Amino acid sequence: MTARVAVGDTVEDFTLPDETGVERSLGELLEDGPVVLFFYPAALTPGCTAEACHFRDLAAEFAAAGARPVGISSDGVERQMEFTERHGLGFPLLSDPEGVVRDRFGVTRGFSLAPTKRVTFVIGRDRTVAEVVRSEIRMSAHADRALEAARRLRGRAA
């Protein structure tokens, strides 16, 4: 396992399939602006649903800040598709079943039914981490704090 990614770190590019099975790279996702990459333990569970739906509910605010939420978990493509369809999420959900990207970001929980920690990274277009949100129990904190960070990034770019 690698060290935890922190504010100021530059993250490597990666490619994973989204909920439709299309391969998506971080570089491609960053072309339109900052990415709010939120790792969550398991699709369709109560906590992860609350977290993802809060990102969905703030979609207009994220768009106004020029940022795009992107979820990532170890769930398979089919489960990610069910998650987004059931809740109308409207943003990419990446599938990392082998935990390669999870390990790279240092959010592996270890031996567990939910091997991914709940951590959100706000990543600028230059792949520099602007904010890290770590909270296992306050689901709304992830989108709220990420939105503040995205707005700060927008202000610096203006």
Side-chain angles (χ1 to χ4, degrees):
M1 185 158 69
T2 60
R4 296 188 337 176
V5 170
V7 171
D9 289 352
T10 300
V11 296
E12 295 177 35
D13 200 9
F14 62 83
T15 301
L16 290 172
D18 69 11
E19 73 284 358
T20 66
V22 173
E23 295 287 324
R24 307 289 288 268
S25 71
L26 178 62
E28 168 216 332
L29 293 166
L30 286 167
E31 287 175 3
D32 296 327
V35 165
V36 177
L37 188 65
F38 69 99
F39 287 85
Y40 57 95
L44 298 166
T45 58
C48 296
T49 298
E51 178 185 18
C53 287
H54 192 53
F55 275 103
R56 176 202 64 203
D57 294 346
L58 293 175
E61 288 89 338
F62 277 106
R68 146 191 248 173
V70 177
I72 184 169
S73 74
S74 59
D75 294 290
V77 169
E78 299 80 17
R79 186 120 172 121
Q80 301 286 41
M81 176 60 89
E82 183 182 351
F83 193 25
T84 197
E85 285 180 345
R86 188 177 297 181
H87 298 289
L89 297 178
F91 47 76
L93 296 179
L94 304 180
S95 179
D96 185 22
E98 305 302 318
V100 173
V101 175
R102 174 185 67 220
D103 288 349
R104 193 182 297 171
F105 275 79
V107 298
T108 300
R109 190 184 307 278
F111 294 105
S112 172
L113 293 174
T116 306
K117 293 179 183 178
R118 188 180 314 280
V119 184
T120 299
F121 299 88
V122 179
I123 304 169
R125 291 184 75 180
D126 62 357
R127 294 195 339 246
T128 300
V129 177
E131 180 71 60
V132 179
V133 181
R134 297 178 189 280
S135 178
E136 292 286 342
I137 52 175
R138 290 192 53 237
M139 305 311 158
S140 63
H142 291 267
D144 292 345
R145 287 187 44 204
L147 181 57
E148 290 172 18
R151 287 174 172 154
R152 285 193 305 272
L153 277 176
R154 180 79 171 195
R156 280 186 228 142

